[in-house]
Amino acid sequence: MQTQKNISLRPYNSFHLESMASEFIFIKSSADLQNVLEQPGINPALVLGGGSNILLTKNVEGLVLKIEIRGIEELKEDASHIYVRAGAGENWHEFVQYTMKRNWGGLENLSLIPGCVGAAPIQNIGAYGVELKDVFYELEAYDRKEKKIFSFGVNDCQFDYRNSIFKTSGKGRYVILNVTFLLHKNPVLNTHYGAIREELNRMGISSPTIQDVSRTVIKIRRSKLPDPADIGNAGSFFKNPVVDQHVFLSLSEKYADMPAYPHEDKSVKLAAGWLIEQCGWKGFREGDAGVHKNQALVLVNYGKATGQQIFDLSEKIGKSVYSKFGIELEREVNVF
Ligand SMILES: Cc1cc2nc3c(=O)[nH]c(=O)nc-3n(C[C@H](O)[C@H](O)[C@H](O)COP(=O)(O)OP(=O)(O)OC[C@H]3O[C@@H](n4cnc5c(N)ncnc54)[C@H](O)[C@@H]3O)c2cc1C
């Protein structure tokens, strides 16, 4: 374990943004992490997983911890479930594929989400009608304040739509070491999501397996989302706004075709991408910072944009959506 100096973070973020870290270290085990964090005067500036949900707007003056804690372990099982623990540095999609090969259900709808296992609880990742919280059992995290490892059950994590305690009151305090999932030996599929059903029908699959669902999700995602290997991006830049019924009703009187989905407690989730598109941003480009031509929710780096330029573009988008619809967009991406 060696601290490196003046490291470019461009290879470590999916926006491919330049940002220099004054110090950088790979963390390969809990012991590594404890050794580093228990040294006097150490206060890491940034924890990185796969860098697929971060916007680096400046250099990092301080230590970057790149989490590479690996390992997948079957902890226990009962008649219908299996408890599987994965290290925070495991690649998320490879882990999903590992579970698919063993016929353990639960993660199929979350196939092909970039990033690492340790970051998945941070924003309670979700796609195609499933969220991390639906398959979560517990996690272990190092508490930088108490200098101890704690376990967090599902209620401790305070999961919400693209949110958890790790993005709110516990932000910056915990380093996630591993996550344990509760997977199903007799999976119940979640194929209500329109696009999944349509694609399964197109493929003539009437009794899908979890592997079919996973393949379908992969196919849909590849056709819809820009691949960061081709063009820098961090997926959805903003969250879909959740509004009260009365806000929804007054907007839908004016915009009859506005997409909306029922959310918890009778609130309504609107499509941030649609709102942005209505303001004319889809396909917009200013220098190398832009809005994807097919997905208004995805901001992109065409090559040499800086994080600050992408941030400034996101500010302008947020202001125009507010002035047209009176709705404040919240960034999903973590800004550093
Ligand atoms: C093309 C594309 C599609 C995407 N689609 C989806 C989607 O469908 N659904 C979805 O929810 N997300 C999606 N995302 C966003 C992203 O993939 C997820 O949020 C993912 O979980 C981020 O993982 P990461 O390891 O890359 O996190 P990073 O970007 O490295 O980190 C994200 C945040 O978590 C913190 N962090 C990372 N690891 C740890 C750790 N071990 N302990 C404590 N803090 C940590 C970081 O400091 C940062 O604040 C997409 C991104 C891209 C590029």
Side-chain angles (χ1 to χ4, degrees):
M1 195 180 43
Q2 211 185 351
T3 307
Q4 304 174 57
K5 302 243 183 236
N6 299 321
I7 294 293
S8 165
L9 297 181
R10 195 193 283 273
Y12 301 111
N13 73 97
S14 65
F15 260 123
H16 311 311
L17 295 165
E18 187 52 281
S19 159
M20 295 301 290
S22 60
E23 291 186 304
F24 181 94
I25 194 164
F26 289 107
I27 299 292
K28 297 198 181 283
S29 66
S30 314
D32 273 4
L33 183 76
Q34 277 169 285
N35 283 340
V36 171
L37 294 184
E38 283 165 20
Q39 284 167 31
I42 287 280
N43 190 16
L46 178 65
V47 178
L48 259 189
S52 65
N53 200 15
I54 198 150
L55 180 74
L56 296 166
T57 61
K58 56 185 186 231
N59 290 333
V60 185
E61 298 302 334
L63 180 61
V64 173
L65 304 176
K66 169 82 176 89
I67 306 297
E68 298 218 316
I69 303 172
R70 308 298 299 261
I72 300 176
E73 232 182 308
E74 296 157 42
L75 296 184
K76 59 179 178 176
E77 60 185 296
D78 57 33
S80 42
H81 298 110
I82 181 133
Y83 297 74
V84 188
R85 180 161 65 198
E90 287 291 338
N91 174 276
W92 175 262
H93 181 62
E94 285 168 18
F95 173 60
V96 173
Q97 292 306 299
Y98 178 98
T99 66
M100 293 298 108
K101 281 197 188 109
R102 283 155 185 79
N103 215 22
W104 300 334
L107 299 178
E108 52 280 3
N109 295 44
L110 302 177
S111 297
L112 210 66
I113 296 181
C116 295
V117 165
I122 307 259
Q123 72 158 13
N124 179 28
I125 58 168
Y128 300 100
V130 173
E131 289 185 325
L132 176 103
K133 72 171 169 47
D134 304 326
V135 282
F136 177 89
Y137 182 66
E138 66 177 12
L139 63 77
E140 284 186 313
Y142 181 83
D143 181 346
R144 291 168 62 175
K145 192 167 161 202
E146 300 288 334
K147 299 198 180 299
K148 272 190 203 150
I149 295 173
F150 290 102
S151 288
F152 287 71
V154 69
N155 292 332
D156 303 319
C157 293
Q158 299 171 17
F159 290 127
D160 200 351
Y161 165 61
R162 297 298 177 277
N163 214 352
S164 73
I165 188 173
F166 307 106
K167 267 190 113 172
T168 51
S169 59
K171 190 172 175 176
R173 177 165 169 181
Y174 302 99
V175 182
I176 295 175
L177 303 169
N178 58 63
V179 183
T180 301
F181 298 85
L182 178 60
L183 302 178
H184 302 272
K185 291 181 175 172
N186 308 304
V188 178
L189 299 181
N190 182 337
T191 54
H192 332 310
Y193 206 90
I196 297 188
R197 246 194 345 251
E198 282 160 26
E199 190 56 39
L200 287 168
N201 287 342
R202 227 190 321 271
M203 296 194 294
I205 300 172
S206 51
S207 310
T209 61
I210 54 170
Q211 294 81 4
D212 291 328
V213 174
S214 172
R215 273 191 290 273
T216 304
V217 166
I218 292 171
K219 196 167 171 202
I220 299 169
R221 292 183 70 97
R222 286 208 170 116
S223 71
K224 287 199 167 159
L225 287 168
D227 182 347
D230 302 328
I231 183 163
N233 76 87
S236 306
F237 196 90
F238 298 99
K239 293 184 187 184
N240 288 320
V242 174
V243 298
D244 292 343
Q245 276 286 339
H246 74 272
V247 174
F248 163 67
L249 289 174
S250 79
L251 280 172
S252 61
E253 269 173 27
K254 206 164 161 196
Y255 306 100
D257 57 342
M258 181 178 72
Y261 311 91
H263 193 61
E264 289 150 18
D265 301 330
K266 297 194 180 146
S267 58
V268 180
K269 199 193 267 179
L270 306 179
W274 186 88
L275 300 171
I276 295 168
E277 196 176 335
Q278 297 308 302
C279 296
W281 290 103
K282 197 172 178 179
F284 176 88
R285 177 170 177 170
E286 191 171 54
D288 272 356
V291 179
H292 193 260
K293 62 183 187 333
N294 301 327
Q295 287 291 341
L297 194 48
V298 178
L299 302 200
V300 294
N301 172 14
Y302 283 101
K304 293 210 167 87
T306 62
Q308 189 59 49
Q309 286 165 342
I310 290 179
F311 182 84
D312 293 345
L313 174 58
S314 75
E315 286 280 287
K316 289 185 200 161
I317 293 171
K319 280 187 186 139
S320 80
V321 167
Y322 186 75
S323 74
K324 189 171 170 77
F325 296 101
I327 288 181
E328 252 177 81
L329 291 181
E330 192 186 334
R331 289 181 190 84
E332 178 174 316
V333 167
N334 299 279
V335 178
F336 180 87

